[in-house]
Amino acid sequence: FNRIATAFQDAAAGVLGAAMLVAVLAFVLAWWLPRREVETLAVLLAEGPPERVAQAIGDVRALDDGQRQSLFAIPAVRNAFTDFYRERIATAANARAERYDYREAARLIIELRSFEEIPRESVDKIIADTSSRFDDDLSVARKSGVLIDRQGRSNAVAIAEAMDLIDPAGKRL
């Protein structure tokens, strides 16, 4: 009977030890995996081409608040995001290159604003630069009499509507 009791105690101790090991591993993995995910995203965003930002937006949105704050605490990641959006906004609406997708530029600004972890001054600078360009384009469109879509893609209505999306309080028309 002693042998059975001793064997049972040894087995119970082994099961308990294995359970403790599994619990410790689960705890370590729960802490380590999210950190590793943020570190991997940070490297991809900081060292990759601007297109990497476009590819990673969904992954960044899927992070929890703490992970996003950790990610955007890295200056190279913040710079990659702001550079990406600045470039895409300038490409969408660029009168010199005859690109007039003002609504897309406004959509990109709204999307950039949704990343609350990016410092407001960086976002506000992009918005101010874009608004200034849009104001210039709006003045040119009004002076040339290009007011509606049928008169040209860079028309006063399209520009003013995009500006209203960016700044609803500043109605232009």
Side-chain angles (χ1 to χ4, degrees), residues 14-103:
V15 168
L16 183 60
M20 287 179 61
L21 179 61
V22 167
V24 168
L25 280 173
F27 177 77
V28 168
L29 286 175
W31 171 82
W32 182 76
L33 285 177
R35 244 184 103 147
R36 185 70 184 138
E37 183 179 9
V38 169
E39 290 170 0
T40 301
L41 268 173
V43 169
L44 290 173
L45 292 169
E47 296 178 4
E51 295 78 34
R52 290 254 173 103
V53 172
Q55 296 166 353
I57 287 173
D59 294 332
V60 171
R61 289 199 187 285
L63 298 174
D64 66 37
D65 291 343
Q67 290 173 310
R68 266 194 317 277
Q69 287 174 353
S70 294
L71 182 67
F72 284 112
I74 302 167
V77 172
R78 285 194 315 268
N79 293 341
F81 260 75
T82 54
D83 291 349
F84 168 78
Y85 278 99
R86 183 180 300 109
E87 179 183 312
R88 289 291 168 99
I89 291 163
T91 299
N94 182 342
R96 288 188 181 116
E98 296 185 18
R99 292 190 195 106
Y100 306 107
D101 197 347
Y102 295 101
R103 185 171 288 280

Side-chain angles (χ1 to χ4, degrees), residues 100-131:
Y100 306 107
D101 197 347
Y102 295 101
R103 185 171 288 280
E104 174 63 7
R107 185 196 69 75
L108 288 164
I109 286 174
I110 292 166
E111 187 174 290
L112 174 61
R113 275 187 184 142
S114 72
F115 292 102
E116 296 174 357
E117 299 81 10
I118 297 176
R120 292 286 55 112
E121 60 271 5
S122 299
V123 175
D124 290 346
K125 172 81 170 106
I126 292 170
I127 292 170
D129 292 347
T130 303
S131 293

Side-chain angles (χ1 to χ4, degrees), residues 115-171:
F115 292 102
E116 296 174 357
E117 299 81 10
I118 297 176
R120 292 286 55 112
E121 60 271 5
S122 299
V123 175
D124 290 346
K125 172 81 170 106
I126 292 170
I127 292 170
D129 292 347
T130 303
S131 293
S132 176
R133 282 190 302 108
F134 282 15
D135 278 334
D136 292 346
D137 291 355
L138 183 59
S139 293
V140 169
R142 283 179 173 160
K143 286 177 185 171
S144 357
V146 181
L147 304 177
I148 59 174
D149 284 338
R150 288 189 310 208
Q151 294 174 311
R153 293 184 323 191
S154 179
N155 63 76
V157 170
I159 298 166
E161 286 175 349
M163 292 173 81
D164 290 345
L165 288 172
I166 297 168
D167 179 16
K171 296 289 184 189

